[in-house]
Amino acid sequence: MNTGASNFVEGVDWVFKLLFGISAFFLIVITAMMIFFVIRYNRKRHPKAVQIKDNMALEITWITIPVIIVLFLFYYGFSAFQPMIWVPKDAMKVKVIGKMWQWSFEYPGNKVADTLVLPLNRPVKLDLVSVDVIHGFSIPAFRVKEDVVPGKNNYMWFTPQQTGNFEIFCTAYCGVRHSYMGTKVRVVTPRQYDQWLASVKVASEEPGGLQVLKKNACTGCHSLDGSKLVSASFKGLYGKTETVVTNGTERKVKVDDEYITTSIYEPDKDLVSGYSKGIMKSYKGIVKEDEAKMIIEYLKTLK
Amino acid sequence: MSENTHLHEEPSYLVDTGKRKGILAWLTTIDHKRIALLYLWSIMVFFIVGGILGETMRTELYKPGQQFYGPQTYNAIFTLHGLIMIFLIVIPGLTVVFGNFVMPIMIGANDVAFPRLNLFTWYLYILGAAIVVVSQFTGDGPPDTGWTFYAPYSTQTPLLPWAIYATAWIQILATPVIGITLLMIIAERTFHIGFFDPALGGDPVLYQHLFWIYSHPAVYIMILPAMGVITEIIPTFCQKQIYGYKAIAISSLAIAGVGYFVWGHHMFTSGMSKEAIWLFSILTFLVAVPSAIKVFNWVATMYKGSIDLKPPLLYAIAFIFLFMIGGFTGLVQGALATDIQVHDTAFIVAHFHYIIFGGVGFAFLGAIHYWYPKMFGRMYSNRIANIAWGFLFAGFNLLYFPQFIIGLEGMPRRYFDYLPQFTTAQQISTWGGYILAIGMIIMIVNLFRKKGEKATANPWGGKTLEWTLPSPPPMENFTTPPVVPEKPYNYD
């Protein structure tokens, strides 16, 4: 584990050590006692049990001790958690958008990236937004995690303290590609950060069709580079001949404007054979007709 | 305890005496012991199915990437594995099998208060199971088995009835919540009334609250009868009066009481009120105390006993060890700072299986080995039972312990695929899963090969009422109401 990768690591890990220390002590002592009793008071060696009356003082002792221990553990767990709630006023803000099954990060100035890049030693507040179902945003190396709940303004904050790449996972089960909904956080020096941010394209400079695809998380299942995700890649799709199943019978169709429009609004109607029904929902009323045309124009450029 | 007052010529409950014979006699029986066996067979079938599903998941996870089925199938399988294991086996399990078989005898009754209702619940259970299997991945769980409970008659009750009594209260009070939640989902889907869907103006976190208001107490529905079983096994094999009778009985009721108010600890990362968070954390820590009290009293019972390490006791000791690991790792989730790190990771998978399989599962296996002679009138091979226990214990720990470690490192749960750094631990888990399966097969073969010698009425020297009846007991348990002149667990 990367100790100290964020400002919370030290405090959280101390609670872990405390909990595991106390647990290991009791586990070993109690287990050793059981093994000792089984050997020492084995029926062969100890044919007649000695009946012992309940002892109130003993019962009270072993009720009181665990109560004190757990209250003490509660206190330390709470103290190390408390700073995670209060965001420093000077924290920079990044909006994290969770979509099935992709993360994107919106920086000030309408700049969008699919890797979270952050400057070293500067507090950052992440506003967590979901456009569909509940996701979980987790950076284990930083000891932070929060659910990304549609309709709720959840957030997290931390200060990155080490440069490098750290894993980001989706931790709330969200469907087929849940286990692939990961990316990285890259912590860089403030100078590198400024250079990087300057190089990020403003979202509105990207082709209109690509913006529509990203906005609706189409690229979570359909890759742009030819790799196979849940469904066919968009690369080289336009103009290709596909075998589809229409009402239970197979036929061949050429991927053209009409086929793409049908696929957006009635995905199960002409389903490419080998794929299952019901995985893609209809985008009727979500992707407007002019947006569908933009998608088609963009797909034509993806050779 | 008084000597067996029974007429020996009376046929056992396993022999058909009514008008109907064979399978029909079983399907229409209202005898609590036969109904217990109906449940036992059905649960065993479901357990084998659920276990095979689990083993296929372990095989799929042997290496990063896809091995033999895709993510859609994997997700469906872990859902079905959970549904079958939790709703069809663990929640009803101990109560319907051993609660049905032993409890009426323990309190000196000839049957449960409503025997026909008792049989009816088995049919409801099978119907619910059929719905789960048919609807496969759309069902939200079958109806909970709600057979009517009755309070223990006297203070001279053994401790298993106390545990089952506490469980009954949780079932009666918590189960309606899941029922109401299901109705709300139906209303939302059918009439588009927004309860949980933000698109309709609902709050998805509300669903989580309602789900856990039921499902957390449900965990106590699962574990309390298991604790009751352990409390029966230990005194018998130590030939010693249970230490802290009152403390154990009260701690069962305390768990049932406080257990209602800790559901929020499943939701520390959901963005719920920060004030509620600390309250749920402190209550979660407090609910750990009654469990600790039980462990201390069990171990104290072994002190200066006359210990006979027969298979049921081996399972009971394994239960205490595994349950302690499950309990201590539960504290990690009660503590706010550390819960954030382990929430929704493989750590939770490990913790949960240590409690449910290491706890409830091992108690169930202990209970089978304990009451087997009473249920079937035969003994099993102790040597083979011990070997099976060894495989199960080793396989279990190899299977689940590595999940704690990769969970701490951030490996999320419900993942079809994973990053290469988790491979070694995943492979150890998979091997552990296979060793566990071998143990299960050895155990089942040992129990059901029917070659053991005939069991006497009281092979283990137990002091509760069921051991005063012949093995197996006759259809109507007691011809004359039993007289119980002493406290239970009196080994003087």
Side-chain angles (χ1 to χ4, degrees), chain A residues 97-103 128-137 145-152 154 169-178 181, chain B residues 196-198 202-209 212 266-267 269-271 343-344 414:
Chain A
I97 301 156
K99 289 179 289 198
M100 291 154 94
W101 291 277
Q102 241 179 4
W103 296 109
L128 307 170
V129 177
S130 167
V131 297
D132 39 49
V133 298
I134 299 178
H135 300 283
F137 189 79
K145 179 182 291 137
E146 184 78 3
D147 293 356
V148 186
V149 183
K152 271 186 92 97
N154 284 359
F169 295 112
C170 174
T171 46
Y173 175 67
C174 61
V176 187
R177 288 187 58 78
H178 170 53
M181 192 171 161
Chain B
F196 311 123
D197 186 352
D203 179 1
V205 176
L206 176 64
Y207 175 79
Q208 295 186 7
H209 277 291
W212 287 114
H266 293 270
M267 302 166 57
T269 66
S270 71
H343 180 82
D344 268 337
R414 298 173 166 184

Side-chain angles (χ1 to χ4, degrees), chain B residues 13 36-37 39-45 47-48 89 93-99 101-102 160 225-226 228-230 232-233 237 310-316 357 359-382 385 388 392 440 442-449 455 459-460 466-467:
Chain B
Y13 79 102
L37 290 197
Y39 273 115
L40 180 63
W41 303 132
S42 1
I43 280 176
M44 217 174 77
V45 170
F47 180 78
I48 290 170
I89 297 161
L94 279 163
T95 316
V96 292
V97 177
F98 301 103
F101 194 96
V102 191
L160 179 72
V229 165
I230 301 306
E232 295 305 318
I233 291 175
F237 292 91
K310 287 271 162 49
L313 186 64
L314 260 182
Y315 279 104
F357 195 166
V360 185
F362 273 70
F364 194 98
L365 301 180
I368 286 195
H369 286 85
Y370 183 50
W371 283 300
Y372 181 89
K374 184 56 61 186
M375 292 176 132
F376 300 102
R378 292 196 174 273
M379 304 302 286
Y380 47 80
S381 155
N382 282 332
L392 289 169
M440 277 291 166
I442 300 174
M443 188 205 78
I444 291 172
V445 169
N446 183 37
L447 289 182
F448 297 107
R449 59 192 186 130
W460 315 123
E466 75 272 27
W467 304 111

Side-chain angles (χ1 to χ4, degrees), chain A residues 1 12 15-16 19-20 23 26-27 30-31 33-34 37-38 41-43 46-55 58-59 62-63 66-67 70-71 73-74 77-78 80-81 84-85 134 140 143-147 149-152 154-155 167 169-173 175-176 178-181 279, chain B residues 71-72 75 78 198 204-205 208 237-241 243-245 247 269-271 274 277-278 281-282 285 289 293 296-297 299-300 302-309 317 320-321 324-325 328 331-332 335-338 340-345 408-410 412-417 419 491-492:
Chain A
M1 265 188 253
V12 172
V15 182
F16 268 121
L19 277 161
F20 288 143
S23 302
F26 279 99
L27 182 70
I30 294 172
T31 308
M33 276 169 76
M34 288 196 295
F37 290 163
V38 166
Y41 303 115
N42 195 284
R43 193 159 295 172
H46 199 249
K48 182 96 179 84
V50 181
Q51 303 302 329
I52 298 164
K53 283 236 152 58
D54 289 2
N55 180 329
L58 188 59
E59 293 285 350
W62 66 38
I63 292 171
V67 168
V70 297
L71 289 177
L73 290 174
F74 159 76
F78 179 66
F81 170 73
M84 296 182 185
I85 303 174
I134 299 178
R143 310 290 187 267
V144 290
K145 179 182 291 137
E146 184 78 3
D147 293 356
V149 183
K152 271 186 92 97
N154 284 359
Y155 64 88
E167 306 293 345
F169 295 112
C170 174
T171 46
Y173 175 67
V176 187
H178 170 53
S179 64
Y180 296 101
M181 192 171 161
I279 292 193
Chain B
Q72 183 71 42
N75 294 347
F78 82 62
V205 176
Q208 295 186 7
F237 292 91
C238 298
Q239 288 296 297
K240 208 172 147 235
Q241 178 182 323
Y243 195 83
Y245 176 99
T269 66
S270 71
K274 307 297 179 213
I277 279 186
W278 72 261
S281 172
I282 201 166
F285 271 113
V289 174
I293 295 168
F296 295 143
N297 282 295
V299 177
M302 294 168 74
Y303 174 66
K304 291 197 176 174
S306 173
I307 301 174
D308 190 11
L309 197 60
I317 290 173
I320 297 177
F321 178 78
M324 279 197 291
I325 294 180
F328 287 131
L331 295 180
V332 173
L336 292 169
T338 47
I340 302 300
Q341 177 71 358
V342 299
H343 180 82
D344 268 337
T345 67
L408 284 173
E409 289 168 352
R413 67 186 186 135
R414 298 173 166 184
Y415 261 33
F416 164 73
D417 203 355
L419 297 173
Y491 288 92
D492 275 334

Side-chain angles (χ1 to χ4, degrees), chain B residues 135-447:
Chain B
S135 66
Q136 292 234 342
F137 317 119
T138 52
D140 273 44
D144 210 39
T145 52
W147 68 291
T148 307
F149 262 89
Y150 47 164
Y153 299 153
S154 73
T155 54
Q156 299 193 330
T157 310
L159 284 159
L160 179 72
W162 276 107
I164 290 183
Y165 178 59
T167 309
W169 272 107
I170 306 178
Q171 284 176 320
I172 288 168
L173 294 177
T175 311
V177 178
I178 198 81
I180 291 165
T181 311
L182 292 176
L183 284 179
M184 287 166 84
I185 289 180
I186 292 168
E188 180 162 79
R189 284 200 180 169
T190 325
F191 307 114
H192 299 281
I193 302 169
F195 290 117
F196 311 123
D197 186 352
L200 299 170
D203 179 1
V205 176
L206 176 64
Y207 175 79
Q208 295 186 7
H209 277 291
L210 289 171
F211 180 81
W212 287 114
I213 287 173
Y214 165 72
S215 295
H216 195 82
V219 179
Y220 298 111
I221 295 177
M222 304 172 201
I223 199 70
L224 277 172
M227 292 168 155
V229 165
I230 301 306
T231 309
E232 295 305 318
I233 291 175
I234 289 177
T236 301
F237 292 91
C238 298
Q239 288 296 297
K240 208 172 147 235
Q241 178 182 323
I242 188 84
Y243 195 83
Y245 176 99
K246 274 189 196 146
I248 290 180
I250 292 168
S251 63
S252 281
L253 299 176
I255 289 174
V258 186
Y260 282 114
F261 303 104
V262 300
W263 79 83
H265 69 213
H266 293 270
M267 302 166 57
F268 286 157
T269 66
S270 71
M272 72 172 174
S273 139
K274 307 297 179 213
E275 287 72 32
I277 279 186
W278 72 261
L279 191 66
F280 280 124
S281 172
I282 201 166
L283 287 169
T284 302
F285 271 113
L286 288 175
V287 84
V289 174
S291 300
I293 295 168
K294 282 177 190 278
V295 169
F296 295 143
N297 282 295
W298 289 326
V299 177
T301 305
M302 294 168 74
Y303 174 66
K304 291 197 176 174
S306 173
I307 301 174
D308 190 11
L309 197 60
K310 287 271 162 49
L313 186 64
L314 260 182
Y315 279 104
I317 290 173
F319 167 95
I320 297 177
F321 178 78
L322 300 173
F323 178 71
M324 279 197 291
I325 294 180
F328 287 131
T329 52
L331 295 180
V332 173
Q333 293 153 63
L336 292 169
T338 47
D339 178 74
I340 302 300
Q341 177 71 358
V342 299
H343 180 82
D344 268 337
T345 67
F347 190 93
I348 306 296
V349 176
H351 158 77
F352 181 78
H353 283 90
Y354 265 85
I355 294 287
I356 296 305
F357 195 166
V360 185
F362 273 70
F364 194 98
L365 301 180
I368 286 195
H369 286 85
Y370 183 50
W371 283 300
Y372 181 89
K374 184 56 61 186
M375 292 176 132
F376 300 102
R378 292 196 174 273
M379 304 302 286
Y380 47 80
S381 155
N382 282 332
R383 200 175 60 86
I384 299 174
N386 290 342
I387 293 168
W389 176 89
F391 274 92
L392 289 169
F393 186 75
F396 177 88
N397 285 295
L398 282 173
L399 169 52
Y400 295 112
F401 202 85
Q403 301 290 323
F404 280 128
I405 296 162
I406 57 175
L408 284 173
E409 289 168 352
M411 165 81 204
R413 67 186 186 135
R414 298 173 166 184
Y415 261 33
F416 164 73
D417 203 355
Y418 52 86
L419 297 173
Q421 63 260 37
F422 302 125
T423 311
T424 311
Q426 295 282 22
Q427 293 189 346
I428 296 171
S429 278
T430 302
W431 287 115
Y434 296 155
I435 295 170
L436 185 75
I438 294 170
M440 277 291 166
I441 294 166
I442 300 174
M443 188 205 78
I444 291 172
V445 169
N446 183 37
L447 289 182

Side-chain angles (χ1 to χ4, degrees), chain A residues 23 31 41 71-72 85 89 103 125 137 158 172 183 193 206-207 221 263 275 294:
Chain A
S23 302
T31 308
Y41 303 115
L71 289 177
F72 169 78
I85 303 174
K89 284 209 174 71
W103 296 109
K125 182 190 182 203
F137 189 79
F158 53 84
T183 180
Y193 172 76
E206 284 178 338
C221 296
S263 298
Y275 290 101
M294 286 156 84

Side-chain angles (χ1 to χ4, degrees), chain A residues 184-213:
Chain A
K184 281 188 194 310
V185 49
R186 192 164 85 236
V187 180
V188 295
T189 61
R191 208 168 57 85
Q192 288 169 319
Y193 172 76
D194 292 337
Q195 284 171 353
W196 171 83
L197 192 62
S199 76
V200 176
K201 273 194 187 147
V202 174
S204 55
E205 287 170 6
E206 284 178 338
L210 180 58
Q211 289 181 40
V212 177
L213 291 177

